[in-house]
Amino acid sequence: MPRNENPIEKTESFGHVVKVQQVIDFMVLSDLMGGQRYHSEMEQFITQTFNGVGVNDAYFSNRLKALFEAGHVTRHWDGDNRYNRFYRITDSGMEYFKLMLREMPERVKRAKRVYDSFDSYIEKFGKMNLK
């Protein structure tokens, strides 16, 4: 049998589905629009917003570092305690947030379609004997 006799045309890619890092960036920047926030406050905000689903500490720190290095946020130390970092959004961060605000609704819709399809696919294996 020849390969790709009936190829299916790809209309979208997984790269256009919302990514975890985009969700975190969006949540951080939206929270910072209310003023400066501490690292732990933003982490709690995300966990509360998503009904107990939070972000791995190391991953969250890496995202904050990436936002800082991209110039989207500033960070400052509060006193001598290295854990008391607070963040502020920059003009660049506002532009990045506006870009995400334009793109995210369609990405979220796409992600819902993908996950619904995946959920249906998983159900095919639900009654499978795994012994």
Side-chain angles (χ1 to χ4, degrees):
M1 177 170 157
R3 293 175 19 193
N4 289 334
E5 186 175 290
N6 296 308
I8 298 172
E9 186 174 331
K10 179 171 46 175
T11 58
E12 299 176 286
S13 75
F14 282 106
H16 289 94
V17 173
V18 67
K19 297 176 175 79
V20 172
Q21 73 181 38
Q22 293 168 319
V23 172
I24 294 168
D25 291 358
F26 187 89
M27 296 302 293
V28 165
L29 295 175
S30 69
D31 193 28
L32 290 176
M33 291 178 65
Q36 77 179 17
R37 298 279 191 265
Y38 285 97
H39 178 283
S40 60
E41 290 175 314
M42 291 184 290
E43 194 170 8
Q44 286 295 298
F45 168 70
I46 291 169
T47 303
Q48 180 181 20
T49 300
F50 294 113
N51 299 314
V53 177
V55 182
N56 173 284
D57 291 336
Y59 189 77
F60 189 60
S61 292
N62 285 337
R63 286 310 313 149
L64 290 172
K65 181 180 178 186
L67 287 168
F68 171 73
E69 290 174 349
H72 299 318
V73 299
T74 60
R75 65 181 179 192
H76 303 280
W77 305 105
D78 185 16
D80 291 337
N81 186 339
R82 70 182 189 104
Y83 295 105
N84 286 335
R85 283 177 285 182
F86 66 87
Y87 294 80
R88 287 192 177 119
I89 192 169
T90 64
D91 290 341
S92 172
M94 282 296 295
E95 291 304 312
Y96 178 45
F97 178 76
K98 289 175 186 176
L99 174 66
M100 285 192 296
L101 192 55
R102 286 190 299 272
E103 292 181 354
M104 291 300 271
E106 186 56 39
R107 286 178 176 262
V108 169
K109 287 177 191 172
R110 196 174 293 125
K112 285 180 180 180
R113 285 194 314 267
V114 167
Y115 281 108
D116 286 347
S117 296
F118 188 54
D119 189 43
S120 295
Y121 184 74
I122 289 172
E123 286 179 11
K124 293 178 181 180
F125 299 93
K127 295 179 175 69
M128 188 174 163
N129 186 357
L130 299 175
K131 291 182 183 180

